[in-house]
PDB file of all heavy atoms in Angstrom:
ATOM      1  N   ALA X   1     -30.385 -27.702-172.177  1.00  0.00           N
ATOM      2  CA  ALA X   1     -30.670 -26.965-173.519  1.00  0.00           C
ATOM      3  C   ALA X   1     -31.931 -27.528-174.150  1.00  0.00           C
ATOM      4  O   ALA X   1     -32.754 -26.781-174.699  1.00  0.00           O
ATOM      5  CB  ALA X   1     -29.449 -27.083-174.439  1.00  0.00           C
ATOM      6  N   PHE X   2     -32.005 -28.912-174.217  1.00  0.00           N
ATOM      7  CA  PHE X   2     -33.195 -29.471-174.783  1.00  0.00           C
ATOM      8  C   PHE X   2     -34.469 -29.141-174.041  1.00  0.00           C
ATOM      9  O   PHE X   2     -35.553 -28.798-174.689  1.00  0.00           O
ATOM     10  CB  PHE X   2     -32.971 -31.002-174.864  1.00  0.00           C
ATOM     11  CG  PHE X   2     -34.129 -31.739-175.479  1.00  0.00           C
ATOM     12  CD1 PHE X   2     -34.281 -31.776-176.821  1.00  0.00           C
ATOM     13  CD2 PHE X   2     -35.024 -32.465-174.696  1.00  0.00           C
ATOM     14  CE1 PHE X   2     -35.367 -32.456-177.445  1.00  0.00           C
ATOM     15  CE2 PHE X   2     -36.081 -33.163-175.303  1.00  0.00           C
ATOM     16  CZ  PHE X   2     -36.224 -33.136-176.654  1.00  0.00           C
ATOM     17  N   ASP X   3     -34.441 -29.203-172.719  1.00  0.00           N
ATOM     18  CA  ASP X   3     -35.595 -28.937-171.887  1.00  0.00           C
ATOM     19  C   ASP X   3     -36.066 -27.533-172.073  1.00  0.00           C
ATOM     20  O   ASP X   3     -37.235 -27.210-172.320  1.00  0.00           O
ATOM     21  CB  ASP X   3     -35.258 -29.171-170.451  1.00  0.00           C
ATOM     22  CG  ASP X   3     -36.516 -29.343-169.573  1.00  0.00           C
ATOM     23  OD1 ASP X   3     -37.629 -29.799-170.081  1.00  0.00           O
ATOM     24  OD2 ASP X   3     -36.450 -28.981-168.374  1.00  0.00           O
ATOM     25  N   ALA X   4     -35.154 -26.528-172.118  1.00  0.00           N
ATOM     26  CA  ALA X   4     -35.459 -25.141-172.296  1.00  0.00           C
ATOM     27  C   ALA X   4     -35.959 -24.923-173.716  1.00  0.00           C
ATOM     28  O   ALA X   4     -36.902 -24.164-173.906  1.00  0.00           O
ATOM     29  CB  ALA X   4     -34.214 -24.266-172.026  1.00  0.00           C
ATOM     30  N   THR X   5     -35.361 -25.559-174.699  1.00  0.00           N
ATOM     31  CA  THR X   5     -35.769 -25.389-176.108  1.00  0.00           C
ATOM     32  C   THR X   5     -37.202 -25.882-176.315  1.00  0.00           C
ATOM     33  O   THR X   5     -37.969 -25.203-177.053  1.00  0.00           O
ATOM     34  CB  THR X   5     -34.810 -26.079-177.079  1.00  0.00           C
ATOM     35  OG1 THR X   5     -33.473 -25.506-176.811  1.00  0.00           O
ATOM     36  CG2 THR X   5     -35.221 -25.917-178.440  1.00  0.00           C
ATOM     37  N   THR X   6     -37.496 -27.047-175.741  1.00  0.00           N
ATOM     38  CA  THR X   6     -38.880 -27.507-176.011  1.00  0.00           C
ATOM     39  C   THR X   6     -39.874 -26.696-175.255  1.00  0.00           C
ATOM     40  O   THR X   6     -41.005 -26.530-175.756  1.00  0.00           O
ATOM     41  CB  THR X   6     -38.976 -29.013-175.480  1.00  0.00           C
ATOM     42  OG1 THR X   6     -38.510 -29.136-174.144  1.00  0.00           O
ATOM     43  CG2 THR X   6     -38.186 -29.955-176.390  1.00  0.00           C
ATOM     44  N   ALA X   7     -39.600 -26.128-174.082  1.00  0.00           N
ATOM     45  CA  ALA X   7     -40.486 -25.293-173.414  1.00  0.00           C
ATOM     46  C   ALA X   7     -40.796 -24.026-174.226  1.00  0.00           C
ATOM     47  O   ALA X   7     -41.878 -23.500-174.390  1.00  0.00           O
ATOM     48  CB  ALA X   7     -39.983 -24.964-172.043  1.00  0.00           C
ATOM     49  N   GLU X   8     -39.683 -23.459-174.793  1.00  0.00           N
ATOM     50  CA  GLU X   8     -39.862 -22.286-175.612  1.00  0.00           C
ATOM     51  C   GLU X   8     -40.642 -22.592-176.860  1.00  0.00           C
ATOM     52  O   GLU X   8     -41.533 -21.759-177.345  1.00  0.00           O
ATOM     53  CB  GLU X   8     -38.507 -21.774-176.022  1.00  0.00           C
ATOM     54  CG  GLU X   8     -38.472 -20.514-176.930  1.00  0.00           C
ATOM     55  CD  GLU X   8     -38.649 -20.907-178.424  1.00  0.00           C
ATOM     56  OE1 GLU X   8     -38.193 -22.006-178.769  1.00  0.00           O
ATOM     57  OE2 GLU X   8     -39.231 -20.107-179.171  1.00  0.00           O
ATOM     58  N   TRP X   9     -40.436 -23.791-177.491  1.00  0.00           N
ATOM     59  CA  TRP X   9     -41.176 -24.145-178.630  1.00  0.00           C
ATOM     60  C   TRP X   9     -42.639 -24.275-178.379  1.00  0.00           C
ATOM     61  O   TRP X   9     -43.479 -23.855-179.131  1.00  0.00           O
ATOM     62  CB  TRP X   9     -40.554 -25.509-179.108  1.00  0.00           C
ATOM     63  CG  TRP X   9     -41.043 -26.018-180.449  1.00  0.00           C
ATOM     64  CD1 TRP X   9     -41.524 -25.276-181.452  1.00  0.00           C
ATOM     65  CD2 TRP X   9     -41.018 -27.342-180.908  1.00  0.00           C
ATOM     66  NE1 TRP X   9     -41.856 -26.087-182.574  1.00  0.00           N
ATOM     67  CE2 TRP X   9     -41.525 -27.354-182.274  1.00  0.00           C
ATOM     68  CE3 TRP X   9     -40.680 -28.557-180.293  1.00  0.00           C
ATOM     69  CZ2 TRP X   9     -41.657 -28.488-183.022  1.00  0.00           C
ATOM     70  CZ3 TRP X   9     -40.749 -29.749-181.086  1.00  0.00           C
ATOM     71  CH2 TRP X   9     -41.341 -29.628-182.363  1.00  0.00           C
ATOM     72  N   GLU X  10     -43.042 -24.917-177.214  1.00  0.00           N
ATOM     73  CA  GLU X  10     -44.421 -25.053-176.917  1.00  0.00           C
ATOM     74  C   GLU X  10     -45.066 -23.645-176.794  1.00  0.00           C
ATOM     75  O   GLU X  10     -46.159 -23.402-177.314  1.00  0.00           O
ATOM     76  CB  GLU X  10     -44.530 -25.799-175.598  1.00  0.00           C
ATOM     77  CG  GLU X  10     -45.973 -26.004-175.121  1.00  0.00           C
ATOM     78  CD  GLU X  10     -46.044 -26.695-173.797  1.00  0.00           C
ATOM     79  OE1 GLU X  10     -45.379 -27.712-173.614  1.00  0.00           O
ATOM     80  OE2 GLU X  10     -46.835 -26.199-172.916  1.00  0.00           O
ATOM     81  N   ARG X  11     -44.395 -22.705-176.118  1.00  0.00           N
ATOM     82  CA  ARG X  11     -44.966 -21.388-175.973  1.00  0.00           C
ATOM     83  C   ARG X  11     -45.089 -20.733-177.326  1.00  0.00           C
ATOM     84  O   ARG X  11     -46.136 -20.043-177.643  1.00  0.00           O
ATOM     85  CB  ARG X  11     -44.101 -20.508-175.036  1.00  0.00           C
ATOM     86  CG  ARG X  11     -44.100 -20.922-173.588  1.00  0.00           C
ATOM     87  CD  ARG X  11     -43.478 -19.912-172.753  1.00  0.00           C
ATOM     88  NE  ARG X  11     -42.007 -19.792-172.986  1.00  0.00           N
ATOM     89  CZ  ARG X  11     -41.064 -20.541-172.416  1.00  0.00           C
ATOM     90  NH1 ARG X  11     -41.369 -21.379-171.495  1.00  0.00           N
ATOM     91  NH2 ARG X  11     -39.744 -20.221-172.786  1.00  0.00           N
ATOM     92  N   SER X  12     -44.110 -20.907-178.232  1.00  0.00           N
ATOM     93  CA  SER X  12     -44.190 -20.308-179.566  1.00  0.00           C
ATOM     94  C   SER X  12     -45.253 -20.805-180.398  1.00  0.00           C
ATOM     95  O   SER X  12     -46.012 -20.137-181.137  1.00  0.00           O
ATOM     96  CB  SER X  12     -42.818 -20.475-180.268  1.00  0.00           C
ATOM     97  OG  SER X  12     -41.824 -19.754-179.651  1.00  0.00           O
ATOM     98  N   LEU X  13     -45.523 -22.109-180.253  1.00  0.00           N
ATOM     99  CA  LEU X  13     -46.566 -22.763-180.963  1.00  0.00           C
ATOM    100  C   LEU X  13     -47.960 -22.239-180.548  1.00  0.00           C
ATOM    101  O   LEU X  13     -48.829 -22.024-181.405  1.00  0.00           O
ATOM    102  CB  LEU X  13     -46.541 -24.260-180.769  1.00  0.00           C
ATOM    103  CG  LEU X  13     -45.563 -25.072-181.691  1.00  0.00           C
ATOM    104  CD1 LEU X  13     -45.406 -26.500-181.190  1.00  0.00           C
ATOM    105  CD2 LEU X  13     -46.046 -25.024-183.140  1.00  0.00           C
ATOM    106  N   ILE X  14     -48.147 -22.071-179.237  1.00  0.00           N
ATOM    107  CA  ILE X  14     -49.421 -21.631-178.777  1.00  0.00           C
ATOM    108  C   ILE X  14     -49.659 -20.115-179.257  1.00  0.00           C
ATOM    109  O   ILE X  14     -50.742 -19.846-179.796  1.00  0.00           O
ATOM    110  CB  ILE X  14     -49.448 -21.565-177.248  1.00  0.00           C
ATOM    111  CG1 ILE X  14     -49.454 -23.078-176.755  1.00  0.00           C
ATOM    112  CG2 ILE X  14     -50.673 -20.871-176.699  1.00  0.00           C
ATOM    113  CD1 ILE X  14     -49.381 -23.242-175.207  1.00  0.00           C
ATOM    114  N   ARG X  15     -48.678 -19.298-179.209  1.00  0.00           N
ATOM    115  CA  ARG X  15     -48.792 -17.934-179.645  1.00  0.00           C
ATOM    116  C   ARG X  15     -49.193 -17.961-181.199  1.00  0.00           C
ATOM    117  O   ARG X  15     -50.033 -17.165-181.635  1.00  0.00           O
ATOM    118  CB  ARG X  15     -47.504 -17.093-179.470  1.00  0.00           C
ATOM    119  CG  ARG X  15     -47.314 -16.732-178.012  1.00  0.00           C
ATOM    120  CD  ARG X  15     -46.304 -15.662-177.801  1.00  0.00           C
ATOM    121  NE  ARG X  15     -45.011 -16.090-178.337  1.00  0.00           N
ATOM    122  CZ  ARG X  15     -44.045 -16.756-177.618  1.00  0.00           C
ATOM    123  NH1 ARG X  15     -44.297 -16.841-176.249  1.00  0.00           N
ATOM    124  NH2 ARG X  15     -42.871 -17.055-178.127  1.00  0.00           N
ATOM    125  N   TRP X  16     -48.434 -18.724-181.993  1.00  0.00           N
ATOM    126  CA  TRP X  16     -48.619 -18.756-183.371  1.00  0.00           C
ATOM    127  C   TRP X  16     -50.020 -19.314-183.710  1.00  0.00           C
ATOM    128  O   TRP X  16     -50.717 -18.743-184.510  1.00  0.00           O
ATOM    129  CB  TRP X  16     -47.581 -19.621-184.065  1.00  0.00           C
ATOM    130  CG  TRP X  16     -47.784 -19.826-185.490  1.00  0.00           C
ATOM    131  CD1 TRP X  16     -47.552 -18.910-186.536  1.00  0.00           C
ATOM    132  CD2 TRP X  16     -48.294 -20.976-186.149  1.00  0.00           C
ATOM    133  NE1 TRP X  16     -47.872 -19.466-187.765  1.00  0.00           N
ATOM    134  CE2 TRP X  16     -48.306 -20.727-187.535  1.00  0.00           C
ATOM    135  CE3 TRP X  16     -48.719 -22.273-185.627  1.00  0.00           C
ATOM    136  CZ2 TRP X  16     -48.832 -21.675-188.478  1.00  0.00           C
ATOM    137  CZ3 TRP X  16     -49.158 -23.206-186.516  1.00  0.00           C
ATOM    138  CH2 TRP X  16     -49.236 -22.915-187.940  1.00  0.00           C
ATOM    139  N   ARG X  17     -50.361 -20.410-183.124  1.00  0.00           N
ATOM    140  CA  ARG X  17     -51.700 -21.049-183.433  1.00  0.00           C
ATOM    141  C   ARG X  17     -52.871 -20.078-183.060  1.00  0.00           C
ATOM    142  O   ARG X  17     -53.839 -19.969-183.758  1.00  0.00           O
ATOM    143  CB  ARG X  17     -51.772 -22.319-182.658  1.00  0.00           C
ATOM    144  CG  ARG X  17     -50.979 -23.499-183.199  1.00  0.00           C
ATOM    145  CD  ARG X  17     -50.746 -24.600-182.332  1.00  0.00           C
ATOM    146  NE  ARG X  17     -51.798 -25.129-181.534  1.00  0.00           N
ATOM    147  CZ  ARG X  17     -52.224 -26.430-181.406  1.00  0.00           C
ATOM    148  NH1 ARG X  17     -51.617 -27.330-182.165  1.00  0.00           N
ATOM    149  NH2 ARG X  17     -53.141 -26.734-180.647  1.00  0.00           N
ATOM    150  N   CYS X  18     -52.775 -19.429-181.864  1.00  0.00           N
ATOM    151  CA  CYS X  18     -53.821 -18.602-181.443  1.00  0.00           C
ATOM    152  C   CYS X  18     -53.878 -17.270-182.197  1.00  0.00           C
ATOM    153  O   CYS X  18     -54.881 -16.517-182.171  1.00  0.00           O
ATOM    154  CB  CYS X  18     -53.707 -18.278-179.928  1.00  0.00           C
ATOM    155  SG  CYS X  18     -53.952 -19.755-178.899  1.00  0.00           S
ATOM    156  N   GLY X  19     -52.844 -16.956-182.960  1.00  0.00           N
ATOM    157  CA  GLY X  19     -52.764 -15.733-183.774  1.00  0.00           C
ATOM    158  C   GLY X  19     -53.243 -15.969-185.174  1.00  0.00           C
ATOM    159  O   GLY X  19     -53.238 -15.023-185.994  1.00  0.00           O
ATOM    160  N   LEU X  20     -53.648 -17.213-185.607  1.00  0.00           N
ATOM    161  CA  LEU X  20     -53.988 -17.446-186.926  1.00  0.00           C
ATOM    162  C   LEU X  20     -55.354 -16.863-187.203  1.00  0.00           C
ATOM    163  O   LEU X  20     -56.276 -16.864-186.356  1.00  0.00           O
ATOM    164  CB  LEU X  20     -54.092 -19.015-187.184  1.00  0.00           C
ATOM    165  CG  LEU X  20     -52.709 -19.743-187.208  1.00  0.00           C
ATOM    166  CD1 LEU X  20     -53.021 -21.266-187.246  1.00  0.00           C
ATOM    167  CD2 LEU X  20     -51.853 -19.328-188.359  1.00  0.00           C
ATOM    168  N   SER X  21     -55.523 -16.341-188.380  1.00  0.00           N
ATOM    169  CA  SER X  21     -56.737 -15.789-188.826  1.00  0.00           C
ATOM    170  C   SER X  21     -57.755 -16.897-189.237  1.00  0.00           C
ATOM    171  O   SER X  21     -57.316 -18.032-189.379  1.00  0.00           O
ATOM    172  CB  SER X  21     -56.593 -14.809-190.003  1.00  0.00           C
ATOM    173  OG  SER X  21     -56.200 -15.503-191.162  1.00  0.00           O
ATOM    174  N   ALA X  22     -59.060 -16.588-189.386  1.00  0.00           N
ATOM    175  CA  ALA X  22     -60.025 -17.594-189.839  1.00  0.00           C
ATOM    176  C   ALA X  22     -59.599 -18.134-191.178  1.00  0.00           C
ATOM    177  O   ALA X  22     -59.717 -19.349-191.411  1.00  0.00           O
ATOM    178  CB  ALA X  22     -61.395 -16.903-189.857  1.00  0.00           C
ATOM    179  N   ASP X  23     -59.105 -17.283-192.092  1.00  0.00           N
ATOM    180  CA  ASP X  23     -58.710 -17.764-193.427  1.00  0.00           C
ATOM    181  C   ASP X  23     -57.507 -18.693-193.347  1.00  0.00           C
ATOM    182  O   ASP X  23     -57.414 -19.697-194.014  1.00  0.00           O
ATOM    183  CB  ASP X  23     -58.379 -16.560-194.363  1.00  0.00           C
ATOM    184  CG  ASP X  23     -59.618 -15.835-194.786  1.00  0.00           C
ATOM    185  OD1 ASP X  23     -60.690 -16.374-194.661  1.00  0.00           O
ATOM    186  OD2 ASP X  23     -59.478 -14.693-195.247  1.00  0.00           O
ATOM    187  N   GLN X  24     -56.572 -18.363-192.481  1.00  0.00           N
ATOM    188  CA  GLN X  24     -55.349 -19.238-192.357  1.00  0.00           C
ATOM    189  C   GLN X  24     -55.756 -20.553-191.721  1.00  0.00           C
ATOM    190  O   GLN X  24     -55.267 -21.555-192.161  1.00  0.00           O
ATOM    191  CB  GLN X  24     -54.324 -18.478-191.454  1.00  0.00           C
ATOM    192  CG  GLN X  24     -53.651 -17.315-192.035  1.00  0.00           C
ATOM    193  CD  GLN X  24     -52.772 -16.573-191.084  1.00  0.00           C
ATOM    194  OE1 GLN X  24     -53.198 -16.289-189.952  1.00  0.00           O
ATOM    195  NE2 GLN X  24     -51.593 -16.151-191.541  1.00  0.00           N
ATOM    196  N   ARG X  25     -56.621 -20.541-190.735  1.00  0.00           N
ATOM    197  CA  ARG X  25     -57.051 -21.753-190.160  1.00  0.00           C
ATOM    198  C   ARG X  25     -57.713 -22.623-191.223  1.00  0.00           C
ATOM    199  O   ARG X  25     -57.526 -23.907-191.238  1.00  0.00           O
ATOM    200  CB  ARG X  25     -57.954 -21.553-188.948  1.00  0.00           C
ATOM    201  CG  ARG X  25     -57.241 -20.929-187.783  1.00  0.00           C
ATOM    202  CD  ARG X  25     -58.063 -21.045-186.432  1.00  0.00           C
ATOM    203  NE  ARG X  25     -59.361 -20.361-186.624  1.00  0.00           N
ATOM    204  CZ  ARG X  25     -59.604 -19.130-186.327  1.00  0.00           C
ATOM    205  NH1 ARG X  25     -58.551 -18.359-185.819  1.00  0.00           N
ATOM    206  NH2 ARG X  25     -60.815 -18.549-186.389  1.00  0.00           N
ATOM    207  N   GLN X  26     -58.564 -22.015-192.041  1.00  0.00           N
ATOM    208  CA  GLN X  26     -59.246 -22.788-193.067  1.00  0.00           C
ATOM    209  C   GLN X  26     -58.276 -23.436-194.073  1.00  0.00           C
ATOM    210  O   GLN X  26     -58.429 -24.600-194.428  1.00  0.00           O
ATOM    211  CB  GLN X  26     -60.282 -21.957-193.797  1.00  0.00           C
ATOM    212  CG  GLN X  26     -61.133 -22.626-194.794  1.00  0.00           C
ATOM    213  CD  GLN X  26     -62.123 -21.694-195.428  1.00  0.00           C
ATOM    214  OE1 GLN X  26     -62.127 -20.538-195.347  1.00  0.00           O
ATOM    215  NE2 GLN X  26     -63.128 -22.357-196.178  1.00  0.00           N
ATOM    216  N   ARG X  27     -57.320 -22.690-194.443  1.00  0.00           N
ATOM    217  CA  ARG X  27     -56.287 -23.118-195.418  1.00  0.00           C
ATOM    218  C   ARG X  27     -55.450 -24.297-194.901  1.00  0.00           C
ATOM    219  O   ARG X  27     -55.050 -25.227-195.522  1.00  0.00           O
ATOM    220  CB  ARG X  27     -55.338 -22.029-195.859  1.00  0.00           C
ATOM    221  CG  ARG X  27     -55.988 -21.052-196.839  1.00  0.00           C
ATOM    222  CD  ARG X  27     -54.876 -20.264-197.541  1.00  0.00           C
ATOM    223  NE  ARG X  27     -54.061 -19.450-196.678  1.00  0.00           N
ATOM    224  CZ  ARG X  27     -54.361 -18.248-196.209  1.00  0.00           C
ATOM    225  NH1 ARG X  27     -55.482 -17.628-196.671  1.00  0.00           N
ATOM    226  NH2 ARG X  27     -53.534 -17.539-195.400  1.00  0.00           N
ATOM    227  N   LEU X  28     -55.261 -24.268-193.545  1.00  0.00           N
ATOM    228  CA  LEU X  28     -54.526 -25.315-192.849  1.00  0.00           C
ATOM    229  C   LEU X  28     -55.341 -26.563-192.440  1.00  0.00           C
ATOM    230  O   LEU X  28     -54.763 -27.458-191.875  1.00  0.00           O
ATOM    231  CB  LEU X  28     -53.736 -24.747-191.610  1.00  0.00           C
ATOM    232  CG  LEU X  28     -52.692 -23.681-191.983  1.00  0.00           C
ATOM    233  CD1 LEU X  28     -52.166 -23.115-190.623  1.00  0.00           C
ATOM    234  CD2 LEU X  28     -51.477 -24.418-192.698  1.00  0.00           C
ATOM    235  N   GLY X  29     -56.562 -26.489-192.704  1.00  0.00           N
ATOM    236  CA  GLY X  29     -57.455 -27.642-192.421  1.00  0.00           C
ATOM    237  C   GLY X  29     -57.830 -27.788-191.011  1.00  0.00           C
ATOM    238  O   GLY X  29     -58.110 -28.868-190.536  1.00  0.00           O
ATOM    239  N   VAL X  30     -57.916 -26.619-190.271  1.00  0.00           N
ATOM    240  CA  VAL X  30     -58.277 -26.748-188.881  1.00  0.00           C
ATOM    241  C   VAL X  30     -59.806 -27.071-188.795  1.00  0.00           C
ATOM    242  O   VAL X  30     -60.634 -26.486-189.422  1.00  0.00           O
ATOM    243  CB  VAL X  30     -58.025 -25.368-188.125  1.00  0.00           C
ATOM    244  CG1 VAL X  30     -58.611 -25.452-186.785  1.00  0.00           C
ATOM    245  CG2 VAL X  30     -56.537 -25.137-188.140  1.00  0.00           C
TER     246      VAL X  30
END
């Protein structure tokens, strides 16, 4: 369960990070 959950978490993070707009990235200090 932990291994599957962390794999899903990594994929979700990549999708979310790559979907951020320029304004969102700026607000988050990227």
